[in-house]
Amino acid sequence: MNIFVTQLIPQAGLEILRRAYPDYRINAEERVLARWELLEQVRGADALLALLTDKIDADVLDAAGPQLKIVANMAVGYDNIDVQAASRRGVMVANTPGVLTDATADHAWALLFAVARRVPESENYLRAGKFKGWGPLLFLGGAVTGRTLGVVGAGRIGSAMAMKSRGFNMPVLYTARSPKPQLEAETGARRVELEELLRESDFVSLHLPLSPDTVHSIHAGSLRLMKPTAYLINTGRGPLVDEAALADALKSGVIAGAALDVFEQEPAVHPELLKLENVVLTPHTASATIKSRSKMSVMAAENLIVGLAGQKPPNLVNEPDLVWKI
Ligand code: DGY
């Protein structure tokens, strides 16, 4: 079998692959392959272990060839893959849900606190030698305990974000396609329309999957609905937010601050955001704990191996036009 791993991933996953397919091929560098390299490397592959930074579209699927059976993405999100094009070619697509839920929700909380309590800004001040003593007006920030959390997209990660608010006695509002009775029972959360959530929340945390329907879910108009004291947190996908509109809103005080782990044009970050102090930025590392990345690599490898054996991988996300290709 011809298996290609598009970038170095944690050893735990590679070890599982190695045991099943000792001759797997890998881009053993910590860098995203250039488009031409990807097109070249996938040629003849029966299976790809891909990352969210690899654009797996019809051209890549065709470059791989008709023998390609599965693309196992090492991510829960799979907006980097043209799933319809894969399905039409009988190619399975699998993802890695669950194992990064807590890590990602934890990071969203880290961002929430960082921006509300101005952690990076005040640390930079201190490191620059500017701290001359306690001051009654020094780095005043936003309170967290008791304030309203708005979770946009209460799926696995959004729900975990909401559950973790219990220690801070926060009323929770959420949006979701269907009600979440357990979440409501455990947190008192209330399902509302997005507009109400934006108007009422002190912290708005985004957890939607990226699709044509969710691009720019947060735009200039939505930001204007938010309180001037509110904060926006995004650990979902960058294009959920119109970054230019967000930069304007942050500059003009339409909202108090934002904390972003994901960006519209990764790895580029809107230059205006980089200039602002009321925004905290991390490099798409919300799931980056040793434990969660290791489990993601194992899950991706297992999906790949099961799919190659002609069985349904545990985390299949499409219904390929099969006739499984075995
Ligand atoms: C995902 O899995 O989709 C995250 O964005 C990266 O872990």
Side-chain angles (χ1 to χ4, degrees):
M1 286 289 178
N2 182 338
I3 292 149
F4 182 60
V5 182
T6 61
Q7 197 181 141
L8 191 60
I9 61 168
Q11 282 305 316
L14 291 179
E15 185 50 30
I16 286 183
L17 267 190
R18 194 192 58 73
R19 269 190 248 128
Y21 297 105
D23 297 331
Y24 75 85
R25 294 182 299 116
I26 183 168
N27 159 32
E29 294 175 48
E30 277 185 73
R31 73 172 176 94
V32 182
L33 289 176
R35 180 77 179 164
W36 66 268
E37 293 173 302
L38 181 65
L39 288 166
E40 203 169 277
Q41 291 292 343
V42 299
R43 202 151 288 142
D46 296 290
L48 297 177
L49 196 154
L51 306 182
L52 61 90
T53 40
D54 303 311
K55 186 170 185 216
I56 309 292
D57 56 11
D59 289 345
V60 172
L61 298 167
D62 289 339
Q67 76 298 328
L68 182 66
K69 294 179 187 64
I70 180 162
V71 179
N73 216 34
M74 197 189 108
V76 65
Y78 47 88
D79 48 279
N80 59 307
I81 301 174
D82 183 340
V83 176
Q84 280 185 2
S87 299
R88 279 196 299 274
R89 288 162 179 76
V91 175
M92 293 175 266
V93 176
N95 70 340
T96 61
V99 291
L100 47 72
T101 299
D102 280 320
T104 306
D106 289 354
H107 194 78
W109 276 100
L111 288 176
L112 185 154
F113 274 103
V115 68
R117 301 306 304 272
R118 304 174 65 182
V119 174
E121 203 187 336
S122 53
E123 193 201 8
N124 289 340
Y125 169 91
L126 182 144
R127 284 180 188 273
K130 295 180 184 166
F131 180 39
K132 302 296 177 210
W134 183 87
L137 302 179
L138 194 58
F139 285 107
L140 303 183
V144 175
T145 296
R147 296 181 85 206
T148 300
L149 173 67
V151 172
V152 181
R156 283 188 201 84
I157 299 170
S159 295
M161 176 80 187
M163 295 290 277
K164 290 170 198 283
S165 72
R166 287 176 298 180
F168 301 107
N169 299 325
M170 298 171 84
V172 177
L173 303 175
Y174 73 97
T175 67
R177 275 196 298 264
S178 54
K180 307 280 172 185
Q182 196 188 341
L183 182 66
E184 294 184 9
E186 294 189 31
T187 64
R190 201 158 58 80
R191 181 167 165 248
V192 294
E193 294 299 323
L194 180 60
E195 279 83 41
E196 183 177 346
L197 183 147
L198 293 171
R199 273 199 193 93
E200 299 299 323
S201 299
D202 297 300
F203 298 95
V204 174
S205 189
L206 305 180
H207 302 280
L208 295 167
L210 181 62
S211 74
D213 294 339
T214 60
V215 170
H216 287 190
S217 291
I218 301 296
H219 47 77
S222 9
L223 291 161
R224 276 196 299 273
L225 291 178
M226 289 173 65
K227 301 178 188 177
T229 49
Y231 299 88
L232 180 73
I233 321 295
N234 189 8
T235 52
R237 284 289 183 267
L240 296 175
V241 177
D242 179 341
E243 261 177 23
L246 175 62
D248 284 346
L250 289 167
K251 264 189 281 185
S252 55
V254 168
I255 64 170
L260 311 171
D261 183 54
V262 286
F263 304 93
E264 260 195 281
Q265 309 283 342
E266 283 180 28
V269 178
H270 195 291
E272 291 302 312
L273 290 176
L274 291 170
K275 292 185 203 158
L276 297 171
E277 293 206 312
N278 55 347
V279 57
V280 174
L281 309 164
T282 53
H284 203 150
T285 46
S287 70
T289 64
I290 296 165
K291 180 176 162 195
S292 119
R293 286 286 167 85
S294 178
K295 285 187 171 177
M296 287 163 73
S297 72
V298 167
M299 203 174 217
E302 286 173 350
N303 281 329
L304 184 150
I305 291 166
V306 173
L308 265 188
Q311 288 153 18
K312 187 174 166 181
N315 309 106
L316 186 68
V317 299
N318 64 340
E319 288 176 19
D321 298 340
L322 301 175
V323 214
W324 300 109
K325 298 199 266 179
I326 32 179

